[in-house]
Amino acid sequence: MVVKSWIQRFQNYLAGNHPRFPGVVAAAVAMGMSQLGYWEQLEQLGYNALFKIRPPIGWDERIAVIAIDQASLQEYGQFPWRRDRYTQLLQALKKSPPAAIGFDILFVAPSPLDAAMAKAIASKGNVVLSVAWDAEGKLLPPVPVLDKAAANVGHILHDPDKDGISRQATVFVESLPALAPAMLDVYKTRAGVQLALPKPDAGEKMPKVWINWPGTTQALPTYSFADIVEGRVDASVLANKLVLIGPTAIGMDPLRSPLNQDPPTAGVYLHAALIDNLLNNRLLQRTPEWADILLLLVIGAGTSWLLFNRQLKDRIVIGLILPPTWFAIALTAFIGGNQWLPIAAPISTILLAGLGVQLREQYEKQQLMNLFAQHVAPEMAEVIWERKEEIFENGELEAQELTATVLFMDIRGFTTISETLAPRELLTWLNLYLDAMASCIMEHGGIIDKYIGDAIMAVFGIPFPQAQEEHVKRDATAAITASLAMHERLQVLNERFQEENRPLIRFGIGIHTGPVIAGTIGGAQRLSYSVLGDTVNVAARLEAMTKNLTSDNPYQILLTDRTFGYVSDLYAGQEFGAIQLRGKETETMVYSILGKLPVKTD
């Protein structure tokens, strides 16, 4: 019972008019797609776009690169080089020693020249060498003599994203630091500077950080290896710098950043970017997962609320404004706070929320049209939809007490006619008549309440409450106008029936204006919109009395004095007789309609 009760409550909630619900659903869909990785590619494109739009923040002036470039290869020959080349470089840097030197080069195989290089490394006291792993996961450390001479070692593991862009750096593999933090550790110790460096995390084997690329790699001071060794560049430019040494020649160690994609740059610049970020405490920060979930919920619900109960053109305008607005917010956070906010998921949530609101409205409109479409003209159905807030409460059509004009009409002698026609022929004949009459009623703003065999019950003045007398007068006038139109339409239809040798039709119409209760009637499986009340009974009673109208009366229409009082300035009528209505102490005069009064001219 408890479960059933909660299910019923949830169903009622869904049926309700909750402005934020489509947005919450959109957020849930976006979160699910995010968990499945559907937004990853789009978020990566957003990452690239943020870097391209943001003005460069500039590389830290303490960083420089000595490049094994195409010119150095032409001068010294094919790579790899003998160890004495690196010994020569270290000796060239003696006059203006850098603060730390990092080799983005592996020295795995022993060499007869290792001792000399080890001596040069040891004399510097600030050289950091690289380690890596082979394809089978085996560690590739520097040869022991060089390893012992180095101030530190760091790994050069490089793991680009699926699109080839390097967005993250692995700062540790278990307790082994990356080349950049290994160099900064040496720099911190030797220079005595205060630096907040990352530490190994026992719970995470390979912690990663997001790289905040300071600019294009062309903007970072880079010097040719051969130029430094040969003295063509004053070594003082590297004094007290954090110097990285690595290959940059085409095809040697390609790397793509969001700012250097085609042609690619070199892997040594990834270490330079990480050094820059750690030196200036400007690593890119991403929002935690719980914050992303909260963000999507807020954006989804907010978008849904903004779009709720608005015209389609307003929704389109808002829908066009919100995505670039969010992108602008993300760009501001990126520039001002080094925050990488998600872009694809929030914008998709905005679009999904907009779609959800539109689909929800279409569903509600379909439900409303299912309720009214067979009873009113399309124009009236649109009016009902546009003014739905006046008659709906919490997603349900509320019962209303209002003043309306009820019309009842019936075919004279239908039972006798039905006995002379075959069932199929009878239905065809009857439907032609009902369709013609219903068109007249709906063309004049009436609502077909129901068909009762050959009888039609129509109402003018629903579903909206008519608070002013002129509105009630308008509805009563529309009922009379529709009745006269039905008489004219019946003449045309009878001419057709006569040509087709079908029975001719005569009808009677009863009209009364008074209070009714309007609302949905039926069970959960089938609902209909209808009116109840004594006004309905009076109109039905008047319709039955039209059998007593004489043949010389031009229209078979009877109406109460209240209805006639609303239309007497437009239509001529005569007293037919008085009837006693239930709950009335005095009799009610009944009128028949003689026709439209001539238009007065001044």
Side-chain angles (χ1 to χ4, degrees):
M1 290 297 291
V2 175
V3 173
K4 187 175 181 180
S5 172
W6 276 103
I7 291 174
Q8 184 63 44
R9 287 185 186 181
F10 184 66
Q11 289 174 338
N12 292 339
Y13 181 83
L14 292 182
N17 209 11
H18 301 286
R20 296 175 182 82
F21 183 73
V24 173
V25 173
V29 171
M31 284 185 281
M33 295 178 73
S34 181
Q35 292 297 316
L36 294 173
Y38 282 100
W39 305 129
E40 183 179 0
Q41 257 187 316
L42 292 175
E43 294 293 1
Q44 290 173 349
L45 291 174
Y47 173 99
N48 296 347
L50 290 171
F51 276 103
K52 289 176 180 177
I53 295 172
R54 182 187 72 177
I57 57 178
W59 292 87
D60 191 295
E61 294 180 354
R62 291 169 286 181
I63 307 170
V65 170
I66 295 177
I68 300 175
D69 55 2
Q70 204 67 36
S72 299
L73 293 177
Q74 289 176 354
E75 190 162 347
Y76 292 151
Q78 186 177 356
F79 195 82
W81 294 333
R82 299 187 318 172
R83 301 283 161 79
D84 57 345
R85 291 296 178 198
Y86 306 108
T87 304
Q88 292 170 7
L89 176 67
L90 294 173
Q91 290 171 346
L93 296 174
K94 264 186 178 183
K95 295 177 184 178
S96 304
I101 300 170
F103 277 92
D104 183 22
I105 304 166
L106 294 175
F107 300 109
V108 178
S111 161
L113 302 173
D114 286 344
M117 183 177 176
K119 184 178 179 181
I121 290 174
S123 68
K124 301 296 292 180
N126 62 355
V127 176
V128 180
L129 300 180
S130 296
V131 299
W133 291 264
D134 64 14
E136 298 177 355
K138 183 181 177 182
L139 184 66
L140 302 174
V143 293
V145 65
L146 298 181
D147 191 5
K148 185 178 179 181
N152 206 349
V153 294
H155 74 77
I156 53 174
L157 181 65
H158 174 213
D159 187 19
D161 290 329
K162 292 179 181 178
D163 61 353
I165 305 295
S166 293
R167 298 180 176 89
Q168 298 182 82
T170 305
V171 287
F172 281 95
V173 176
E174 295 181 342
S175 61
L176 180 63
L179 181 61
M183 286 179 64
L184 287 174
D185 188 50
V186 171
Y187 172 63
K188 177 180 177 182
T189 302
R190 289 177 60 88
V193 296
Q194 296 294 320
L195 280 178
L197 297 178
K199 298 183 182 302
D201 185 350
E204 194 172 0
K205 183 179 178 181
M206 299 173 65
K208 293 184 178 182
V209 293
W210 294 94
I211 296 296
N212 188 3
W213 288 93
T216 63
T217 55
Q218 290 85 349
L220 179 64
T222 302
Y223 306 95
S224 173
F225 188 104
D227 287 345
I228 297 294
V229 171
E230 302 300 327
R232 291 191 288 263
V233 173
D234 187 353
S236 63
V237 297
L238 300 174
N240 299 315
K241 298 289 181 72
L242 292 155
V243 176
L244 284 156
I245 303 164
T248 63
I250 297 173
M252 288 187 67
D253 184 20
L255 175 141
R256 286 179 171 83
S257 80
L259 299 172
N260 292 89
Q261 295 186 45
D262 191 19
T265 185
V268 68
Y269 292 105
L270 178 68
H271 310 300
L274 183 53
I275 289 173
D276 172 276
N277 291 181
L278 293 174
L279 275 173
N280 297 281
N281 193 27
R282 58 185 181 192
L283 284 166
L284 209 55
Q285 304 297 321
R286 292 209 70 176
T287 50
E289 188 174 357
W290 66 266
D292 287 345
I293 293 172
L294 182 61
L295 177 67
L296 294 182
L297 286 172
V298 170
I299 287 176
T303 300
S304 185
W305 179 77
L306 277 174
L307 298 178
F308 191 72
N309 278 345
R310 293 185 184 271
Q311 297 293 327
L312 180 60
K313 61 180 182 180
D314 295 332
R315 288 178 180 168
I316 292 174
V317 171
I318 293 171
L320 291 174
I321 291 173
L322 288 181
T325 299
W326 175 252
F327 186 84
I329 292 171
L331 182 60
T332 302
F334 188 73
I335 294 173
N338 298 318
Q339 288 284 332
W340 178 20
L341 297 179
I343 295 175
I347 289 178
S348 299
T349 300
I350 290 170
L351 299 177
L352 287 171
L355 179 62
V357 169
Q358 195 64 27
L359 290 176
R360 178 67 180 270
E361 183 175 285
Q362 289 301 115
Y363 171 77
E364 291 176 352
K365 187 173 184 179
Q366 188 61 48
Q367 294 296 98
L368 191 65
M369 293 302 102
N370 288 342
L371 201 59
F372 285 106
Q374 301 301 318
H375 306 277
V376 300
E379 296 80 9
M380 182 61 178
E382 286 298 326
V383 171
I384 292 172
W385 171 249
E386 290 173 4
R387 297 176 57 187
K388 62 183 182 298
E389 290 79 15
E390 299 178 32
I391 57 175
F392 275 79
E393 185 175 337
N394 295 325
E396 296 183 0
L397 193 60
E398 292 294 309
Q400 293 178 303
E401 186 173 354
L402 39 77
T403 300
T405 298
V406 178
L407 179 152
F408 241 99
M409 63 186 299
D410 193 9
I411 296 177
R412 295 284 164 261
F414 177 74
T415 303
T416 302
I417 294 172
S418 64
E419 292 173 350
T420 64
L421 297 175
R424 179 170 296 184
E425 188 179 357
L426 174 65
L427 283 178
T428 301
W429 171 80
L430 180 60
N431 285 334
L432 286 171
Y433 160 76
L434 293 176
D435 182 62
M437 299 304 103
S439 296
C440 291
I441 291 168
M442 292 191 288
E443 285 168 6
H444 291 84
I447 290 181
I448 305 296
D449 184 288
K450 61 176 68 70
Y451 297 102
I452 312 168
D454 63 303
I456 299 175
M457 174 182 165
V459 187
F460 294 79
I462 60 170
F464 306 109
Q466 310 299 333
Q468 300 177 2
E469 282 295 300
E470 65 243 36
H471 294 156
V472 179
K473 173 182 173 65
R474 181 191 61 198
D475 297 330
T477 303
I480 303 302
T481 306
S483 298
L484 299 186
M486 284 190 284
H487 276 81
E488 294 177 5
R489 189 77 59 90
L490 183 63
Q491 291 180 9
V492 175
L493 191 62
N494 274 335
E495 290 176 4
R496 174 182 172 180
F497 286 160
Q498 190 169 18
E499 292 175 0
E500 297 174 353
N501 200 27
R502 293 180 177 181
L504 304 185
I505 294 175
R506 293 175 58 248
F507 58 53
I509 297 175
I511 301 173
H512 178 51
T513 302
V516 296
I517 302 296
T520 49
I521 298 173
Q525 300 300 316
R526 183 174 175 82
L527 288 172
S528 65
Y529 184 78
S530 186
V531 298
L532 303 172
D534 197 49
T535 300
V536 177
N537 299 331
V538 173
R541 184 175 172 186
L542 292 177
E543 182 276 319
M545 292 172 60
T546 59
K547 297 174 183 178
N548 300 322
L549 283 169
T550 56
S551 58
D552 61 341
N553 199 300
Y555 299 104
Q556 300 294 299
I557 304 171
L558 290 179
L559 59 156
T560 59
D561 54 359
R562 181 174 182 183
T563 304
F564 186 67
Y566 288 120
V567 301
S568 58
D569 60 333
L570 297 172
Y571 295 95
Q574 65 180 9
E575 294 182 354
F576 175 77
I579 59 173
Q580 184 68 48
L581 296 180
R582 186 174 62 183
K584 300 287 186 180
E585 295 182 0
T586 58
E587 291 184 328
T588 297
M589 182 58 66
V590 176
Y591 291 82
S592 65
I593 290 294
L594 300 178
K596 195 168 187 179
L597 290 172
V599 178
K600 293 181 181 181
T601 57
D602 295 333

